Amino acid sequence: MENNNIDKKVIKKGLLPYLFIFLIMLGVFLYFRYTDSEVHSFTYDEFIEKLDGDKIKELELTARGSGYIYEVTGTLDSYDEDEYFEATLPLSEEVMKKIVTASDEQDFTLTVYADPESSQWLIILVNFVPIAALVIFAFWFFNKQMAGNKSSLDFGKSRARLSSDNNKVTFKDVAGLKEEKEEVKELIDFLKDPKKFQKLGARIPKGVLLMGPPGTGKTLLAKAVAGEADVPFYFISGSDFVELFVGVGASRVRDMFKEAKRNAPCLIFIDEIDAVGRQRGSGIGGGHDEREQTLNQLLTEMDGFGANEGIIIIAATNRPDVLDPALLRPGRFDRQVTVNLPDVKGREEILEVHAKNKILADDITIENLAKRTPGFSGADLENLLNEAALLAVRRNKDEITMSEIDEATDRVLMGPAKVSHKYSENDRKLVAYHEAGHAVVGIKLEGASDVQKVTIIPRGQAGGYNMMVPSEEKLCSTKTDLLEQVTGLLGGRASEEITFGEITTGAHNDFEKATKIVRAMVTEYGMSDLGPLQFEQQSGSVFLGRDYNKPQHFSNEVANEIDMEMRKIINECHERAKDIIKKNKDLLKLIAESLLEYETLTKEQIDYLVEHGKMPNEDDDNYETMSLTKLREIAKEKGVKNTSKMNKAELIKELDD
């Protein structure tokens, strides 16, 4: 029944265009038919002559001008079907008597119409209805435009949005930030019971600045403060203040604080405050641009409200170094909380939160995952588990295994694998020995990081990569640690030189990282023969007005010595890497040949190789751990063609299908 109704609706919609075309054609036809008619215009004398001549067939009279004249139309006996005459007659008894007498004598049809303009309703309809319709249409059109762009007239209003109760977040949802939560707990106590602080004359911070790398949980922490205190939570981005129109940003700041005061106690969260709070005078346009005026208004408002109004501002930024000093002085953002990347304990707590709705295999423990992911932020960890879950669904598995975790880690760090990228055998061998060189140096250096994974599958810009994590997380790095990192980075180039007597472009990223570390050792950390001096400072993007002409605080002679020290450290590390490779050629060959066969080696497989000199027994139920040779044998048995031209990922896909 429902389908029949749908079909009828479709048919009706399909017929509407044809009906519309038919009506247009009919109107055109009638119009041309009407315009093709032959019309004769008679004077008064001619009309009286026709009336007396017994020639009229039909006659119509219409009063005009409030009855002072008549418009006459009619036909004669001699006229064709599309032929008629018209005339205008004065209103008089003589004329009407002649017409009525002729009608009685000649027996023609006589029709008399009253003056249509004499109707008051018609006058209203003709004179006022079009104007009213035009006004109504204009009002409707204006409202429609306003509905499509509600902000067209309220651009000076605050863009701060009030978070709904459905999105309430508490400290239970924030994992890993133990010290940071302690820092902001007194804000919650103040919002709940401000009199407790007022008794002792304590002044709660008006503003709290959350600083740290992206994805560490700054926004989540601000939401949790409002959730724990159970107060309104207004959130806005720094970019929402600045517009093209002059004065709009300052107006929005005023309106935001006005709204907050009406709902105090409350919390205002400004995300990415560096968009509006950047240092004044750092550009070439002076201090009159819209962004700086907005910042001035923000500074004024933060100084303006009293200590007991119950409004607390929390702001977040990834670039505290670019903020204006006036923002950071006491009385404004007088408390700064650094939200760093989580340590191993913090990562474990974060993974526990994000793993609640995930089905993990029995051999996966949150503790091991936390140890395998140093340097990951909270957002990275959430993305890691989500990618692993997506891969498990794609592979039609009932649970997330270590294979999906490894692949998800690679995706987060390097991007998806380029399985369609075809290597020549010579390229595969070069990449295998290059990555094996990194692994050998990492294994043999006592203070080096642990080798977690080596692969020759291309990802992102890399033809292969070696994932190494520190054996233990340290707050500070020693000179030995940094030198061993540089030596490990140069292991790939050393392996190429010793194995092939040739060098490739594959080590360019290794050189970039090594040079950065060595330059910091010489110019920032004082770890060279130049002594404990700092010649340079870490800097981000250039401010045109502040940093473009920043002077160099050392002479050209010192600059030359810096270059010589860097070259000396790099050369020493390179020679050390070559020495390690020469002493462990057998291990290098073993790892490289295993990479050519398996394409990817995990930490457990590498440890087994080092200890036993061979790969562990292959798992007949897991294609991921099988060698290319065995996979090709299985694929041939199942009728897969051209197996010799397929890489491991392509073979596994064919077997799974």
Side-chain angles (χ1 to χ4, degrees):
M1 187 66 180
E2 185 178 353
N3 291 334
N4 291 335
N5 292 335
I6 294 174
D7 292 339
K8 289 179 181 178
K9 290 180 180 179
V10 173
I11 292 172
K12 289 179 181 179
K13 289 182 178 179
L15 290 176
L16 283 176
Y18 297 102
L19 179 61
F20 183 68
I21 293 172
F22 172 75
L23 292 175
I24 292 177
M25 294 178 65
L26 180 63
V28 172
F29 172 75
L30 293 176
Y31 171 77
F32 281 107
R33 182 181 179 185
Y34 176 78
T35 54
D36 287 344
S37 300
E38 186 177 354
V39 182
H40 302 275
S41 296
F42 291 164
T43 64
Y44 173 77
D45 293 336
E46 289 174 338
F47 173 72
I48 295 299
E49 182 183 347
K50 300 296 182 184
L51 191 66
D52 294 340
D54 192 17
K55 295 180 179 181
I56 295 178
K57 181 179 180 181
E58 185 178 2
L59 196 64
E60 293 181 357
L61 283 77
T62 304
R64 295 292 184 187
S66 300
Y68 292 107
I69 61 173
Y70 277 96
E71 288 184 356
V72 180
T73 59
T75 59
L76 301 179
D77 292 336
S78 60
Y79 281 0
D80 295 332
E81 184 178 355
D82 297 329
E83 195 174 359
Y84 67 94
F85 70 85
E86 60 183 13
T88 302
L89 307 178
L91 177 63
S92 65
E93 292 184 7
E94 182 183 355
V95 173
M96 289 302 298
K97 186 177 180 180
K98 284 184 179 182
I99 292 174
V100 173
T101 302
S103 175
D104 293 338
E105 292 177 355
Q106 300 177 23
D107 194 24
F108 61 78
T109 303
L110 175 62
T111 307
V112 181
Y113 297 103
D115 184 4
E117 296 181 358
S118 63
S119 172
Q120 296 297 323
W121 289 107
L122 184 61
I123 293 174
I124 294 173
L125 182 67
V126 172
N127 292 282
F128 296 103
V129 169
I131 298 174
L134 184 62
V135 171
I136 292 172
F137 174 77
F139 183 75
W140 169 81
F141 183 78
F142 182 75
N143 280 344
K144 185 177 180 181
Q145 292 299 314
M146 291 296 295
N149 185 14
K150 294 181 179 179
S151 61
S152 58
L153 292 180
D154 65 347
F155 49 79
K157 297 292 184 181
S158 171
R159 291 290 187 269
R161 298 176 294 279
L162 181 63
S163 179
S164 63
D165 293 337
N166 297 332
N167 298 327
K168 189 173 181 180
V169 178
T170 64
F171 279 168
K172 292 181 180 178
D173 304 307
V174 183
L177 303 178
K178 184 177 179 180
E179 292 78 10
E180 290 81 354
K181 285 189 283 189
E182 289 294 332
E183 281 289 318
V184 297
K185 268 187 178 179
E186 64 185 27
L187 301 179
I188 300 170
D189 296 336
F190 172 76
L191 290 169
K192 286 183 175 180
D193 185 15
K195 293 181 180 179
K196 175 182 175 183
F197 293 83
Q198 295 166 10
K199 285 181 181 179
L200 297 177
R203 180 183 64 82
I204 204 70
K206 292 181 181 179
V208 177
L209 182 66
L210 302 179
M211 309 175 297
T216 50
K218 299 182 290 295
T219 303
L220 190 65
L221 183 61
K223 288 182 179 179
V225 172
E228 289 287 338
D230 196 20
V231 296
F233 178 73
Y234 290 93
F235 59 97
I236 188 172
S237 172
S239 61
D240 288 334
F241 290 110
V242 183
E243 287 282 358
L244 173 67
F245 305 106
V246 176
V248 171
S251 175
R252 289 179 178 175
V253 172
R254 288 191 295 269
D255 189 67
M256 179 180 70
F257 279 93
K258 181 180 177 181
E259 181 71 19
K261 289 174 185 178
R262 285 201 296 261
N263 294 277
C266 66
L267 189 146
I268 300 175
F269 176 65
I270 306 176
D271 198 11
E272 305 297 345
I273 194 174
D274 51 277
V276 69
R278 197 165 292 219
Q279 290 184 19
R280 291 169 290 183
S282 60
I284 60 175
H288 300 285
D289 68 295
E290 172 65 9
R291 181 187 57 77
E292 293 193 6
Q293 296 303 319
T294 305
L295 174 59
N296 292 337
Q297 186 63 44
L298 180 62
L299 296 174
T300 303
E301 290 290 342
M302 290 192 70
D303 248 354
F305 61 81
N308 300 324
E309 291 187 358
I311 301 174
I312 292 178
I313 303 176
I314 297 181
T317 180
N318 306 324
R319 296 292 309 275
D321 56 308
V322 305
L323 296 180
D324 194 274
L327 266 178
L328 306 179
R329 75 157 176 81
R332 288 176 179 141
F333 286 106
D334 43 10
R335 177 170 297 184
Q336 289 101 44
V337 179
T338 302
V339 185
N340 286 318
L341 294 171
D343 57 10
V344 63
K345 185 64 177 176
R347 293 196 299 273
E348 188 174 343
E349 294 176 4
I350 294 171
L351 287 167
E352 287 283 358
V353 172
H354 295 303
K356 285 181 180 178
N357 61 340
K358 308 289 192 303
I359 303 175
L360 301 177
D362 295 336
D363 60 336
I364 297 178
T365 62
I366 299 298
E367 183 180 356
N368 288 336
L369 285 182
K371 291 179 180 178
R372 291 168 58 94
T373 51
F376 277 51
S377 66
D380 290 333
L381 295 172
E382 190 274 336
N383 190 33
L384 170 66
L385 290 181
N386 185 62
E387 286 287 345
L390 292 174
L391 286 168
V393 173
R394 243 181 262 167
R395 295 173 179 178
N396 297 319
K397 292 185 177 181
D398 298 327
E399 58 185 8
I400 301 172
T401 65
M402 204 63 209
S403 174
E404 284 75 47
I405 295 292
D406 284 337
E407 176 65 19
T409 304
D410 295 341
R411 282 172 172 264
V412 172
L413 292 174
M414 304 289 293
K418 297 181 179 179
V419 295
S420 60
H421 187 77
K422 297 299 181 183
Y423 266 142
S424 67
E425 284 302 316
N426 185 52
D427 286 341
R428 290 182 77 248
K429 190 173 182 181
L430 283 170
V431 173
Y433 273 90
H434 180 98
E435 299 302 333
H438 287 303
V440 169
V441 175
I443 291 169
K444 293 302 178 181
L445 286 177
E446 295 182 0
S449 301
D450 293 335
V451 180
Q452 291 290 329
K453 186 176 185 179
V454 186
T455 180
I456 59 172
I457 298 175
R459 290 179 184 271
Q461 299 295 324
Y465 79 98
N466 192 321
M467 186 171 71
M468 302 175 70
V469 299
S471 54
E472 59 179 355
E473 295 186 32
K474 301 177 180 179
L475 183 62
C476 297
S477 297
T478 64
K479 181 178 180 181
T480 301
D481 294 335
L482 295 177
L483 290 174
E484 291 189 348
Q485 285 184 36
V486 175
T487 304
L489 288 168
L490 298 175
R493 169 56 66 87
S495 176
E496 293 174 3
E497 292 176 332
I498 293 171
T499 306
F500 304 104
E502 185 62 274
I503 56 178
T504 70
T505 60
H508 73 281
N509 186 249
D510 301 330
F511 297 156
E512 180 183 350
K513 294 177 181 178
T515 304
K516 186 176 180 181
I517 294 173
V518 172
R519 186 165 192 87
M521 291 175 64
V522 176
T523 62
E524 297 178 35
Y525 306 148
M527 294 181 177
S528 70
D529 293 341
L530 295 180
L533 294 172
Q534 188 176 63
F535 301 102
E536 295 177 354
Q537 295 179 346
Q538 292 183 356
S539 60
S541 302
V542 172
F543 278 109
L544 191 59
R546 187 192 72 181
D547 292 339
Y548 190 70
N549 292 319
K550 186 169 66 174
Q552 182 174 291
H553 297 293
F554 49 85
S555 64
N556 292 333
E557 288 78 7
V558 173
N560 184 54
E561 291 182 18
I562 290 173
D563 294 339
M564 293 177 64
E565 281 295 316
M566 289 177 60
R567 188 178 296 111
K568 174 185 172 185
I569 294 174
I570 287 287
N571 289 337
E572 288 177 355
C573 291
H574 187 208
E575 291 299 323
R576 188 180 181 191
K578 289 170 67 175
D579 186 56
I580 293 173
I581 294 295
K582 289 177 182 177
K583 293 179 179 178
N584 296 276
K585 281 187 177 181
D586 293 339
L587 180 59
L588 176 73
K589 183 178 179 182
L590 179 61
I591 294 176
E593 295 297 330
S594 299
L595 279 172
L596 289 171
E597 186 67 19
Y598 290 85
E599 292 189 340
T600 300
L601 299 179
T602 63
K603 181 180 186 308
E604 293 76 14
Q605 291 172 324
I606 294 172
D607 292 342
Y608 194 92
L609 271 174
V610 174
E611 185 176 353
H612 299 90
K614 64 177 183 178
M615 287 290 291
N617 295 329
E618 298 177 2
D619 185 356
D620 293 335
D621 297 328
N622 189 354
Y623 293 147
E624 299 287 342
T625 62
M626 289 185 186
S627 64
L628 277 172
T629 303
K630 188 169 183 178
L631 279 173
R632 285 169 178 161
E633 291 176 358
I634 296 174
K636 285 181 180 178
E637 292 175 359
K638 294 189 175 184
V640 180
K641 298 180 179 179
N642 297 324
T643 57
S644 60
K645 297 182 179 180
M646 294 183 183
N647 57 31
K648 190 172 183 178
E650 291 171 331
L651 286 168
I652 292 174
K653 186 177 183 302
E654 288 290 335
L655 292 172
D656 287 339
D657 293 340

